[in-house]
């Protein structure tokens, strides 16, 4: 029978072939739009929305959009996904740079879009890699290759080029079913669990019988391992409870550094702290005093004497200028039995340092924009010791880099983060940042005390629960009793590297079996 005869298995008429070819561009565009829409929806999985199932559904849609795509098309869909996710999830960058950084709107928009595009490039590369090198279909793709490669991508994004781990899937699970995995695999271990669940959903939709059966097994194993991890207690109380106070001054970022604001700010923090003296530990937020340390020696001596007379230790944020080396630091000054200083180690690109050539710096100087870099503190500092307890400090953005916080553990019994989220205004960013801080408490099995300039300050339990959270944009004094913890979670012992190594092995196992296989 002629090959073009209608009804013959495996053959199509010329009219059918032409119709199919005409439908292909429309199908491709639909898959492109699905990838973009899935990315736009991803931020709904995180605070303040808290729709954690989206952290599974969103990547599952992308996995399906990659099915049968060429490597080039998969790269485009991955890029669209990332552009949607970071465009919708980190738009507050514009507010920080323009509204409070006083940069021109065009420059702020360029940096905001540039950040989203740079993050989207990771997912574009992931799509290309998946279609070029991973198994074409089946359980090895859905349940091994894609989830592992996704996890590696998030891990790389968390440190490469200084790192930007925002919107890692694991953060969505602070109130989700995979939360108990935090002390075992950290945030990236939870991301792997989310990606595994996404791959299982994709396999159930598109996979053959064996892949679907394997997907059911994987979902069951995830549920069982999460339940088992939730029963474990990795750390235990050590010593007596500490009475702590966090002072939230709520000084607006647009007025904080005005010439006439210094004296009222000093008075405000002293007034708010008046009833706090006598607590074991009093914490003021990042750069609470808008001045340089050497300019405030008299005020620091006065507040140190007040704290000492009341039997309190005080942590306060301020800036430091090393006039010999002409270096600026963002610091936490600890005033207890003796003064200690913690200098911020992980700085914010385009916020605290500017990776730009000299001619751009000259332009920034002419435009009255910030152009002086802060210097990072030492890479391996000791914990601070206050009120008889070793404390693991972080300043603002640093708490997004959990693996770097391990330098203080397991010696430290308490986590402290000070921040100035006033830079983000009334956006989703302070809520996202609080969720990140909750993950650090979960990973380490320790209380986290979080003092911010204008909210959200919080007391976070070792399991990531909010024992207290402040209102935003109002002065507040937060009191809490917390008990230091001892012991080490599995994540504290091995860090993110173990998850990355395991994901790399899984991705290798999912590579195409024959060179050139399509």
């Amino acid at each position: 029978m002629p090959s073009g005869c209608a009804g013959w298995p495996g053959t199509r008429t010329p009219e059918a072939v032409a119709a199919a070819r005409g439908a292909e561009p429309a199908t491709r565009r639909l898959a492109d739009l699905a990838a973009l829409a899935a990315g736009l929806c991803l931020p709904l999985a995180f605070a303040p929305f808290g729709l954690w199932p989206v952290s599974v559904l969103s990547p599952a849609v992308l996995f399906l959009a990659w099915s049968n795509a060429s490597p080039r098309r998969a790269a485009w869909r991955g890029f669209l996904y990332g552009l949607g996710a970071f465009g919708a999830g980190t738009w507050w960058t514009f507010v920080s740079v323009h509204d409070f950084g006083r940069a021109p709107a065009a420059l702020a928009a360029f940096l905001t879009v540039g950040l989203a595009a740079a993050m989207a490039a990771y997912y574009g590369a992931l799509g290309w890699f998946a279609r070029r090198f991973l198994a074409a279909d089946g359980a090895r793709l859905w349940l091994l290759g894609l989830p592992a490669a996704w996890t590696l991508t998030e891990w790389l994004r968390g440190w490469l080029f200084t790192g930007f781990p925002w919107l890692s899937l694991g953060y969505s699970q602070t109130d989700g079913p995979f939360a108990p995995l935090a002390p075992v695999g950290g945030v990236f271990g939870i991301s792997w669990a989310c990606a595994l669940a996404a791959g299982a959903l994709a396999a159930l939709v598109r996979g053959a019988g064996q892949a679907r059966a394997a997907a059911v097994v994987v979902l069951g194993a995830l549920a069982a391992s999460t339940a088992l991890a939730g029963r474990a207690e990795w750390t235990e109380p050590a010593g007596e409870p500490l009475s702590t106070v966090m002072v939230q001054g709520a000084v607006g970022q647009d007025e904080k550094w005005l010439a006439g604001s210094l004296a009222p700010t000093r008075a405000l923090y002293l007034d708010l702290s008046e009833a706090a003296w006598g607590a074991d530990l009093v914490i003021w937020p990042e750069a609470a005093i808008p001045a340089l340390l050497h300019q405030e020696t008299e005020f620091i001596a006065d507040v140190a004497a007040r704290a000492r007379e009341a039997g309190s230790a005080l942590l306060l944020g301020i800036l430091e200028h090393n006039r010999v080396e002409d270096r600026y630091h963002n610091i936490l000054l600890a005033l207890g039995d003796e003064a200690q200083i913690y200098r911020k180690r992980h700085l914010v690109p385009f916020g605290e340092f500017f990776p730009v050539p000299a001619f751009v710096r000259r332009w920034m100087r002419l435009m009255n924009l910030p152009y002086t870099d802060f210097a990072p503190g030492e890479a391996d500092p000791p914990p601070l010791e206050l009120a008889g307890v070793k404390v693991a400090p972080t300043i603002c953005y640093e708490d997004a880099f959990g693996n770097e916080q391990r330098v203080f553990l397991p010696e430290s019994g308490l986590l402290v983060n000070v921040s100035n989220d006033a830079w983000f205004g009334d956006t989703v960013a302070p809520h996202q940042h609080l969720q990140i801080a909750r993950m650090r408490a979960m990973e380490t099995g320790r209380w986290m005390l979080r003092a911010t300039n204008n909210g959200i300050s919080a007391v976070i339990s070792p399991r990531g629960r909010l024992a207290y959270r402040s209102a935003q944009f109002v002065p507040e004094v937060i009191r809490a009793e917390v008990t230091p913890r001892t012991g080490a979670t599995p994540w504290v012992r091995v860090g993110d590297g173990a998850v990355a190594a395991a994901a790399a092995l899984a991705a290798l196992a999912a590579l195409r079996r024959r060179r050139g296989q399509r």
Side-chain angles (χ1 to χ4, degrees), residues 161-505:
F161 308 121
T162 82
F164 187 70
W166 232 263
L167 301 187
S168 295
L169 292 182
Y171 289 121
S172 70
Q173 296 295 305
T174 50
D175 296 303
F178 296 135
L181 298 176
V184 180
V187 66
F188 298 119
I190 300 179
S191 289
W192 197 349
C194 292
L196 263 175
L201 285 183
L204 289 172
V205 170
R206 189 174 177 84
Q210 286 185 340
R212 289 178 176 176
V216 172
V217 171
V218 164
L219 290 173
L222 281 174
S225 60
T226 301
L228 188 63
R231 294 184 185 141
E233 196 70 45
W234 305 104
T235 62
E236 60 186 12
E240 296 298 315
L242 290 178
S243 56
T244 66
V245 175
M246 283 145 285
V247 181
Q248 177 177 297
V251 179
Q253 189 62 32
D254 53 352
E255 60 184 80
K256 181 172 183 173
W257 293 94
L258 296 177
S261 293
L262 178 57
T265 300
R266 287 198 209 109
L268 171 67
Y269 274 96
L270 285 177
D271 182 58
L272 291 173
S273 302
E274 190 60 38
W277 301 129
D280 295 317
L281 178 59
V282 179
I283 306 170
W284 294 1
E286 177 188 15
I289 304 303
L292 297 172
L293 179 61
H294 72 268
Q295 298 169 336
E296 293 297 299
T297 52
E298 185 176 338
F299 174 76
I300 295 296
D302 174 57
V303 76
R306 294 181 189 222
R308 188 167 50 250
E309 288 169 10
S312 299
L314 174 65
L315 265 177
L316 68 90
I318 195 168
L319 304 183
E320 177 191 52
H321 181 211
N322 183 325
R323 287 173 287 178
V324 175
E325 300 178 1
D326 193 25
R327 291 160 64 93
Y328 291 87
H329 295 278
N330 189 351
I331 71 169
L332 256 178
L333 178 63
L335 300 172
D337 294 334
E338 59 182 31
Q340 304 161 74
I341 290 179
Y342 169 73
R343 296 175 176 89
K344 187 176 182 181
R345 297 175 290 151
H346 203 124
L347 304 176
V348 183
F350 298 101
E352 292 173 312
F353 75 99
F354 301 88
V356 295
F359 76 91
V360 177
R361 287 180 182 274
R362 287 193 293 271
W363 174 79
M364 292 169 70
R365 188 179 295 112
L366 291 173
M367 295 290 291
N368 290 319
L369 296 173
Y371 58 87
T372 301
D373 285 351
F374 279 77
E378 60 178 297
D380 192 17
L384 299 176
E385 189 158 357
L386 293 156
V389 175
K390 290 185 177 179
V391 172
T394 51
I395 298 176
C396 193
Y397 180 68
E398 285 188 312
D399 67 348
F401 301 89
N403 210 54
E404 295 178 7
Q405 194 164 296
R406 290 175 54 244
V407 70
F408 301 117
L409 299 163
E411 290 80 12
S412 296
L414 186 66
L415 310 181
V416 170
N417 174 254
V418 298
S419 188
N420 182 19
D421 288 353
W423 282 101
F424 304 131
D426 190 10
T427 69
V428 299
H431 303 272
Q432 293 173 346
H433 199 186
L434 173 62
Q435 191 169 43
I436 288 170
R438 292 176 65 189
M439 182 58 64
R440 301 290 86 86
M442 294 159 65
E443 289 169 337
T444 59
R446 280 157 173 78
W447 286 91
M448 162 75 84
L449 299 176
R450 189 165 190 267
T452 69
N453 183 51
N454 70 341
I456 306 167
S457 302
V459 181
I460 306 169
S461 81
R463 288 187 178 264
R465 298 187 183 97
L466 288 171
Y468 184 84
R469 60 174 288 167
S470 73
Q472 288 183 273
F473 314 116
V474 293
E476 193 165 345
V477 177
I478 299 104
R479 303 172 185 276
E481 278 205 349
V482 299
T483 303
R485 309 279 291 188
T486 188
T489 65
W491 178 84
V492 163
R493 296 191 184 280
V494 301
D496 295 331
V499 169
L505 290 174

